[in-house]
Amino acid sequence: MQAPAGEAVQPAAEIAPPTPVAPTPMVHDVIEVEGAAPAPRNNAILLGGAALLAVAIGGGIWLGLSSTGGEVETTTEQSAEPGEATQEKLDYFAAADANLRDRPTIEGSKIVGSLKRGEKITGTLIGDERGKQWVKVDTTGQYVSLVNLSKSAPPSLATLDGSDRITTARCSMLETAASGAAVKTALQPGAKVRLIGATADGFTEFGLPGGGVGYAPTPDACATDPSPAKGAVANSLIKFDFRDCEFGPELAPYFEKAANARLAKGIDDDAEEYIFPVDKLFQGLRVTNIIVGYEWRGVAFADPAGKAQTVFRKLGFDIDKDGNFTVPDDIAPTSSLQTTDTASRARRQSELICGV
């Protein structure tokens, strides 16, 4: 670059080089042993080291230290940069059923597999552009969100549920199913959770809104109601009792609505029933209707009678090949789970009916 006409060119300021230090052999740190004589000082080495340190600081060499409030801190943990894996491979367990994706992001990625609860993997940590952390599975190169993983295996569950719930009060979720465990998060009323199950010693495992799981120390420590969302999973939806034809507290409001609607329509024919539409899931079955008759009531399924019978047999009910429930002789109501009549099959395929 040339100076403008008429202006004298000023010589650049020179930085004096550091004073040369006579070459010395490499000196390792001296470890003093208790009782030994102190090592003799080498003034030349000390002066040379001071000069080199001054040059390093003047040159802006970063030593990996940060100063806060006069205190020097060192950082040993490394967080994953976006799209970059840490070098350390760690073992993880799936805290809950989790999706595997082809890229470390939710947007634009494809689900290419899944992990079952308790499944063990080895992988490296990945950070995405939004700060979300993922683990790249060693064996497949697929990605799973870190929030769905744990460093230890999840506890065994004595009971399973899997229904979608809504919290009705504030409740704290613990990191693990153990007394004295740290609080992982606090849920506010209205939070959407999944009731996964309970351990033998009373801890309840919940799937959390942002992924992962948390634990409540007792079944009533986190009050919830069934989710009103369409198609919500409700594995505790039906609690059928053939002695009095009750279907449980979660369906009670729907039976009440159906009965009131039947009265409002002035239905007084003993043979006529009222069909109240719902859309709920129960143990893999889709509940489509509440049925209220003169002296009977029931629920309808969008599934074949054989499939519904299998579900209720697994729940402990004795059902014969014709779909009739086996009940003690002193029980007045009769119950059956059978194929819907042809005229109604467009709306439902099978019905569980209880009455006299």
Side-chain angles (χ1 to χ4, degrees):
M1 181 176 178
Q2 294 181 349
E7 293 187 8
V9 178
Q10 300 295 327
E14 295 183 359
I15 300 175
T19 304
V21 179
T24 59
M26 182 178 293
V27 178
H28 299 280
D29 291 337
V30 177
I31 302 176
E32 296 187 2
V33 181
E34 185 177 356
R41 298 178 179 272
N42 189 324
N43 293 332
I45 295 176
L46 291 176
L47 291 174
L52 289 175
L53 179 60
V55 173
I57 293 175
I61 293 178
W62 176 247
L63 300 178
L65 303 177
S66 62
S67 178
T68 305
E71 295 180 1
V72 178
E73 301 173 347
T74 60
T75 303
T76 56
E77 293 185 1
Q78 294 183 348
S79 59
E81 294 296 328
E84 179 183 344
T86 60
Q87 298 301 315
E88 187 178 9
K89 295 180 181 179
L90 298 173
D91 291 334
Y92 299 93
F93 294 87
D97 293 350
N99 290 325
L100 290 168
R101 297 179 178 271
D102 62 346
R103 294 192 295 128
T105 178
I106 292 179
E107 296 181 359
S109 66
K110 295 180 180 178
I111 297 175
V112 292
S114 62
L115 294 176
K116 293 297 182 183
R117 180 182 184 274
E119 190 171 344
K120 183 179 180 180
I121 63 167
T122 300
T124 50
L125 199 60
I126 297 285
D128 67 12
E129 64 278 1
R130 296 186 177 183
K132 184 178 176 66
Q133 292 184 311
W134 300 77
V135 170
K136 183 177 182 180
V137 182
D138 222 22
T139 54
T140 64
Q142 298 164 348
Y143 300 89
V144 58
S145 174
L146 181 64
V147 74
N148 292 320
L149 302 177
S150 172
K151 292 294 184 67
S152 57
S156 298
L157 297 178
T159 60
L160 298 175
D161 191 304
S163 56
D164 294 322
R165 315 283 296 184
I166 300 293
T167 57
T168 58
R170 189 179 187 276
C171 55
S172 296
M173 292 285 104
L174 305 180
E175 287 277 2
T176 61
S179 57
V183 174
K184 183 175 187 176
T185 187
L187 299 178
Q188 300 301 322
K192 299 177 181 179
V193 296
R194 173 159 289 184
L195 176 56
I196 298 175
T199 65
D201 52 354
F203 285 87
T204 304
E205 183 175 294
F206 287 92
L208 300 178
V213 300
Y215 298 89
T218 59
D220 57 352
C222 190
T224 61
D225 280 341
S227 171
K230 183 177 180 180
V233 177
N235 285 342
S236 58
L237 179 71
I238 298 176
K239 293 184 178 179
F240 178 56
D241 189 339
F242 52 67
R243 295 171 297 181
D244 54 11
C245 297
E246 290 294 332
F247 284 80
E250 295 190 12
L251 282 181
Y254 297 98
F255 276 102
E256 184 178 358
K257 289 179 181 179
N260 291 337
R262 185 175 188 273
L263 289 174
K265 287 183 174 293
I267 298 175
D268 55 5
D269 188 344
D270 293 354
E272 190 172 354
E273 60 189 17
Y274 184 79
I275 309 297
F276 186 82
V278 296
D279 185 8
K280 299 287 183 180
L281 296 179
F282 171 71
Q283 300 286 350
L285 304 174
R286 183 171 292 279
V287 181
T288 59
N289 298 104
I290 299 295
I291 303 170
V292 176
Y294 179 64
E295 289 185 327
W296 69 91
R297 62 206 318 234
V299 294
F301 303 101
D303 307 273
K307 179 180 178 181
Q309 291 168 7
T310 298
V311 168
F312 279 85
R313 287 189 182 106
K314 289 181 178 179
L315 293 174
F317 294 97
D318 186 3
I319 306 174
D320 67 20
K321 61 182 179 62
D322 296 321
N324 297 306
F325 285 67
T326 302
V327 300
D329 293 337
D330 60 344
I331 300 297
T334 60
S335 302
S336 63
L337 206 173
Q338 298 172 335
T339 300
T340 306
D341 61 76
T342 305
S344 303
R345 206 161 295 166
R347 292 181 298 176
R348 55 196 187 273
Q349 292 195 47
S350 59
E351 299 172 341
L352 169 54
I353 301 296
C354 179
V356 295

